[in-house]
Amino acid sequence: ETKWYNSYSKNSSARLPHCLATATKDNEVLMALEDLDLAGYPLRKRSVSWEDITSCLRWLAQFHASYLGTTPEGLWAVGSYWHLETRPQELSRLKDQRLKDAAPLIDEKLNNCIFKTFVHGDAKLANFCFAKNGEVSGVDFQYVGGGCGMKDVAYFIGSCLNESECERLEAQILDSYFEALQNALSKRNESKTENESLEQEWRSLYRVAWADFHRFLKGWSPGHWKINSYSERVTAEVIDSLL
């Protein structure tokens, strides 16, 4: 996280706390960060409106656009805490044999995407601080690393919506995110053709990212509330497309 703040955070167009200082002593690392409450982001939310969701999706889009094509030197090569390489115990405990067999293919599909960026890696609702006007700032960058932006989007949506909402709003969620992403990329003067190719690829990987996190959950906590029929259907469709 100190490497992230010292070397990369200044390039983010998405709001995040400014790092005031870092220091290391023996095995301890100290970071002094901006107080986001005083900076105008005092609200923490356990439930969200659609406006809150779009604010967070816009933040993710701005974050992903800021690091598109950047190599994560000194960071995790693969961002997020649940990717397959770092979760062998959960994979070994997974009882769903079909998903277990497909897990390496799901992981490969995500890791081999053409368009890569930095992913936040833990973009749950609890890691967003809200301003009274609805704008947000992200916090907690210990799992930042390379990958497909859909990992953050799928994980965020799963953190704040129930099963029926995830299904009912899926198209709207993706449309909102990609509208914000295209807007952010246009400010970087990126190629319009490349931007369209990126959107086509990432849209196709949203459900793959969902299945990837579902794989982790089923191995880590088989009774978790996020394991539901929507996730099972999405994962089954992804597996069918890969096996």
Side-chain angles (χ1 to χ4, degrees), residues 142-198:
Q142 62 180 310
Y143 295 110
V144 171
C148 171
M150 291 294 95
K151 292 173 68 173
D152 280 339
V153 176
Y155 179 71
F156 167 69
I157 293 301
S159 78
C160 61
L161 294 182
N162 63 36
E163 173 183 3
S164 62
E165 291 169 330
C166 289
E167 184 166 18
R168 177 172 58 85
L169 295 172
E170 181 179 316
Q172 194 172 338
I173 288 161
L174 291 174
D175 288 346
S176 295
Y177 169 81
F178 282 110
E179 180 181 356
L181 182 66
Q182 293 293 357
N183 184 54
L185 291 174
S186 69
K187 296 176 181 178
R188 289 163 48 99
N189 296 317
E190 300 285 349
S191 161
K192 184 177 180 181
T193 301
E194 279 214 347
N195 293 349
E196 291 173 350
S197 297
L198 182 155

Side-chain angles (χ1 to χ4, degrees), residues 70-84:
T70 305
T71 302
E73 295 181 5
L75 304 177
W76 303 110
V78 179
S80 79
Y81 65 84
W82 66 86
H83 66 89
L84 191 62

Side-chain angles (χ1 to χ4, degrees), residues 7 10 13 27-28 30 36 46 52-55 76 98 108 134 158 160 166 196 200 202-203 206 218 220 230 233 240:
S7 300
K10 63 182 180 295
S13 61
N27 293 325
E28 294 185 338
L30 302 175
L36 288 176
R46 293 186 177 181
D52 295 329
I53 290 171
T54 56
S55 291
W76 303 110
R98 195 162 182 263
E108 182 181 17
C160 61
C166 289
E196 291 173 350
Q200 183 178 12
W202 280 14
R203 274 185 182 269
Y206 176 72
K218 290 193 78 171
W220 177 63
Y230 169 71
R233 288 196 306 276
D240 287 343

Side-chain angles (χ1 to χ4, degrees), residues 59 120 122-129 137-141 155:
W59 188 95
H120 178 283
D122 194 12
K124 58 190 175 187
L125 179 60
N127 282 334
F128 287 100
C129 303
S137 176
V139 297
D140 192 0
F141 294 91
Y155 179 71

